[in-house]
Amino acid sequence: MVSALQKAIASLYVRNGYIDMPTPRDDDKEGDMSLPEISTLMCNLTYYGYALSSNALDRLKSLSVAEATFWSDVINPTLANLTGADREMDKHVVYKNFPTEVLGMSEAEYWTKQILMYWGLPNNLFTEAPVERQVLSDKNIQYKVLQLSSDTTLRMIFFGLLNVPSRWTDTQLSDVKLLAMQFQEEG
């Protein structure tokens, strides 16, 4: 079971361009994961728009199946949360053929639909069936490459936050509180 603290730390790492992975118990031993298992983990990351640096990929390859499974149980929900995939926004899309559908409406028709939806009428009354479109090319996707964290990464992020020249955002403030609590526990 993944704790709330583990999820919060994983989120903090990813938002700052890092990924934390367990250190294999035996550095001399190659991990026991098969190539399809490693590929599955990599595909899960790319689904959310992320990729691993070469150091992080080497670390992933050195993990046992149990270590990689635990890591995956932490990182997949974290990435889903950060990207909004866990909110299932596609279920709430009204204009499935945007922008063509909206541009084809008169201003009165558009605003009438908006007001009726605001009043609580079900969205499916206003949704058209999706029209087949050309598939987007994977060539233009820019993946966010996550660097492997080290023992000093959390402190580096913390001091980086302390040196922000402007007021912290709510997320940054919660990160500072989390890190301060973490460092206090370490002594």
Side-chain angles (χ1 to χ4, degrees):
M1 187 67 179
V2 179
S3 72
L5 178 63
Q6 288 169 317
K7 289 180 186 177
I9 295 287
S11 178
L12 178 105
Y13 274 123
V14 172
R15 282 185 278 110
N16 286 280
Y18 292 94
I19 191 142
D20 189 36
M21 292 184 176
T23 304
R25 294 172 197 216
D26 186 2
D27 290 332
D28 297 334
K29 186 184 127 192
E30 189 68 24
D32 61 351
M33 283 195 300
S34 66
L35 187 58
E37 290 168 327
I38 294 169
S39 299
T40 299
L41 292 172
M42 293 298 297
C43 285
N44 289 347
L45 291 173
T46 59
Y47 173 79
Y48 296 112
Y50 291 90
L52 296 178
S53 67
S54 59
N55 291 345
L57 181 57
D58 290 343
R59 174 71 61 88
L60 179 64
K61 290 176 186 176
S62 70
L63 298 179
S64 69
V65 172
E67 292 166 331
T69 301
F70 180 78
W71 173 78
S72 178
D73 289 346
V74 172
I75 202 64
N76 283 332
T78 299
L79 295 177
N81 180 268
L82 289 173
T83 60
D86 61 345
R87 294 176 193 82
E88 299 177 340
M89 295 304 287
D90 56 328
K91 292 182 179 180
H92 306 288
V93 174
V94 176
Y95 302 116
K96 309 268 185 199
N97 303 308
F98 184 84
T100 309
E101 184 178 353
V102 174
L103 293 173
M105 293 181 205
S106 68
E107 193 170 344
E109 183 181 5
Y110 174 78
W111 284 110
T112 302
K113 288 181 178 184
Q114 294 295 75
I115 291 167
L116 292 173
M117 283 185 271
Y118 177 75
W119 284 345
L121 270 66
N123 289 353
N124 61 359
L125 294 176
F126 310 102
T127 303
E128 294 180 8
V131 175
E132 285 293 321
R133 300 185 206 196
Q134 182 180 359
V135 177
L136 296 175
S137 170
D138 287 345
K139 295 176 188 173
N140 299 329
I141 296 176
Q142 296 292 320
Y143 294 101
K144 296 176 189 128
V145 178
L146 299 173
Q147 302 298 323
L148 183 62
S149 67
S150 68
D151 294 338
T152 61
T153 303
L154 285 178
R155 289 196 186 282
M156 186 180 72
I157 293 169
F158 182 67
F159 290 123
L161 287 168
L162 293 179
N163 290 318
V164 170
S166 59
R167 183 175 180 206
W168 288 324
T169 63
D170 291 342
T171 303
Q172 289 171 326
L173 178 61
S174 65
D175 289 347
V176 168
K177 289 178 180 178
L178 174 70
L179 290 171
M181 211 171 44
Q182 186 78 8
F183 297 144
Q184 187 177 25
E185 288 176 10
E186 289 176 8

